[in-house]
Amino acid sequence: MKLALFDLDHTLLNTDSDHSWGEFLVSEGLVDPVQHRAMNDKFYDDYKKGELDPYAYNEFVFQFLTKHDNDYLIELHQLFMQKVIRPQMRPEGFKAIGRHHEAGHTLVGITATSDFITAPIFREFGITEIIATNAEVIDGKYTGKVINTACYQQGKLVRLEQWLEGRNVTESWAYSDSINDRFLLEYADHAIAVNPDDRLETLAQEQGWEIQDWSI
């Protein structure tokens, strides 16, 4: 199997879907605007500094999910896709996915953001194999808890290894923008830094990794 791994936020997207979801809930008047925005911004700053507690952040995000039924949440996510996400989907991301698809490679989306937020976005990009931070669901309801290892920093490799069990990879590519994904990029045979943050750009230059501009 030849494997192409794609990060989502600020890689395939021109935005961060997790932070944007919080802003969307504020803009729709669905959460306390001051408290929710303050927490959302704090966690996002922690992420950019590489200091995020992924369990605490995702459980903050999941609090909203516990208060509503699935039909409403699906409808709300569709509105989120329409208003926020589709305008931020990078054409160069679609092109890269298309090249790997045409070459017969296995496409996997891998993200620290929750499966609730990201699975529909990855599917719209044409990626159906998704490794994300998983929200616990019991009897069809979100519990507010994270299950399995959070898919963040080295946790991405843990989750990838779980997914790869019984599969043989002969060649791999990984695309990401963030220093948080250095472990994923180091794993891949071909590491591509997409609009990298400052620390990833420095690392990419040191390692001789390809740097690409997908911005729109």
Side-chain angles (χ1 to χ4, degrees):
M1 180 176 68
K2 295 190 175 185
L3 180 65
L5 299 160
F6 289 90
D7 175 54
L8 183 66
D9 300 317
H10 291 293
T11 302
L12 292 175
L13 293 177
N14 208 45
T15 189
D16 182 283
S17 60
D18 225 353
H19 186 262
S20 293
W21 171 255
E23 285 292 307
F24 170 74
L25 295 180
V26 169
S27 70
E28 295 294 312
L30 299 172
V31 291
D32 179 277
V34 176
Q35 181 184 22
H36 198 89
R37 177 170 281 146
M39 290 293 291
N40 198 37
D41 288 348
K42 179 190 180 300
F43 280 122
Y44 188 39
D45 287 342
D46 288 346
Y47 173 80
K48 288 186 286 187
K49 290 185 285 189
E51 299 171 358
L52 179 70
D53 179 339
Y55 297 94
Y57 182 36
N58 279 282
E59 289 177 4
F60 160 72
V61 174
F62 296 163
Q63 286 173 13
F64 179 83
L65 306 185
T66 66
K67 299 173 184 176
H68 302 281
D69 64 43
N70 279 339
D71 288 344
Y72 173 76
L73 292 173
I74 290 169
E75 182 179 326
L76 191 63
H77 196 288
Q78 289 170 347
L79 185 64
F80 174 60
M81 292 290 295
Q82 175 190 329
K83 285 189 170 184
V84 179
I85 295 299
R86 289 195 185 103
Q88 302 296 336
M89 298 174 83
R90 288 175 164 170
E92 291 299 321
F94 278 106
K95 290 177 186 177
I97 289 166
R99 287 192 294 270
H100 284 285
H101 180 73
E102 289 171 9
H105 300 166
T106 299
L107 306 175
V108 174
I110 185 164
T111 177
T113 302
S114 72
D115 46 2
F116 168 78
I117 292 174
T118 61
I121 304 172
F122 274 126
R123 287 196 289 267
E124 194 139 327
F125 273 108
I127 296 175
T128 57
E129 294 289 345
I130 299 158
I131 304 171
T133 298
N134 298 129
E136 183 180 57
V137 178
I138 296 178
D139 296 330
K141 290 284 292 181
Y142 287 97
T143 69
K145 300 296 183 183
V146 173
I147 56 171
N148 208 329
T149 301
C151 194
Y152 174 67
Q153 292 185 348
Q154 289 174 306
K156 279 196 175 182
L157 290 185
V158 173
R159 296 294 307 282
L160 178 60
E161 287 168 4
Q162 292 172 351
W163 185 87
L164 285 172
E165 188 173 355
R167 296 177 167 104
N168 180 41
V169 178
T170 58
E171 191 173 9
S172 60
W173 292 257
Y175 297 83
S176 181
D177 70 292
S178 174
I179 192 63
N180 288 301
D181 283 339
R182 66 172 299 167
F183 308 104
L184 185 71
L185 293 166
E186 288 169 349
Y187 159 84
D189 298 310
H190 309 283
I192 300 93
V194 176
N195 298 91
D197 61 35
D198 291 343
R199 286 176 292 169
L200 181 58
E201 184 172 15
T202 298
L203 180 63
Q205 291 168 345
E206 291 170 354
Q207 298 294 327
W209 294 343
E210 187 174 353
I211 298 174
Q212 295 185 4
D213 181 3
W214 291 4
S215 60
I216 58 172

